[in-house]
Amino acid sequence: MLDMGFEPQIRKVVSQIRPDRQTLLRSATWPRSIQSLAREFLNDPIQVNIGSLDASANKNVTQIIGVVAKNRKMDSFYKLLGQIMDGGRILVFTGTKRLADNSR
């Protein structure tokens, strides 16, 4: 989230939490920016690692985010699929199984 520009929002949320709080910081990757944030916000932290610390996000994955009117979502979705389909695999996340089933 930091690389997407969410640091100001994270800082705002943390600033509004009681100082005697118990905080959990989770990250799929552990880049220096996350480590620095953890050191700044956490008191006496405990670090738990599952897997390698050298893990990083796959650079071959393209994430596309678009804002469209609610009644245009499916049309926009199918138009985008038509533009990017190249015979490869595409992973689409939906809010419900029903939406996923209806998107076929």
Side-chain angles (χ1 to χ4, degrees):
M1 292 176 64
L2 292 178
D3 62 342
M4 296 172 61
F6 284 100
E7 186 172 351
Q9 289 86 350
I10 293 170
R11 288 184 178 284
K12 183 176 181 180
V13 168
V14 171
S15 73
Q16 296 174 12
I17 299 173
R18 290 183 8 213
D20 63 340
R21 83 240 183 233
Q22 182 175 6
T23 306
L24 172 67
L25 175 65
R26 296 175 44 185
S27 179
T29 58
W30 198 242
R32 292 192 195 289
S33 57
I34 297 287
Q35 293 175 36
S36 174
L37 198 66
R39 281 191 299 274
E40 184 178 342
F41 292 147
L42 304 177
N43 299 319
D44 195 22
I46 297 172
Q47 182 174 333
V48 177
N49 301 315
I50 300 173
S52 170
L53 286 177
D54 296 327
S56 63
N58 187 329
K59 304 285 189 239
N60 295 323
V61 172
T62 301
Q63 181 174 333
I64 300 172
I65 300 171
V67 179
V68 296
K70 189 172 186 173
N71 63 341
R72 301 286 303 153
K73 283 184 180 182
M74 293 309 289
D75 290 338
S76 297
F77 171 69
Y78 288 122
K79 181 179 179 182
L80 177 63
L81 279 181
Q83 293 170 357
I84 63 176
M85 285 296 293
D86 62 358
R89 295 181 183 184
I90 295 177
L91 178 62
V92 177
F93 293 94
T94 62
T96 63
K97 184 178 184 312
R98 178 181 303 145
L99 181 57
D101 290 342
N102 292 338
S103 298
R104 295 182 191 179

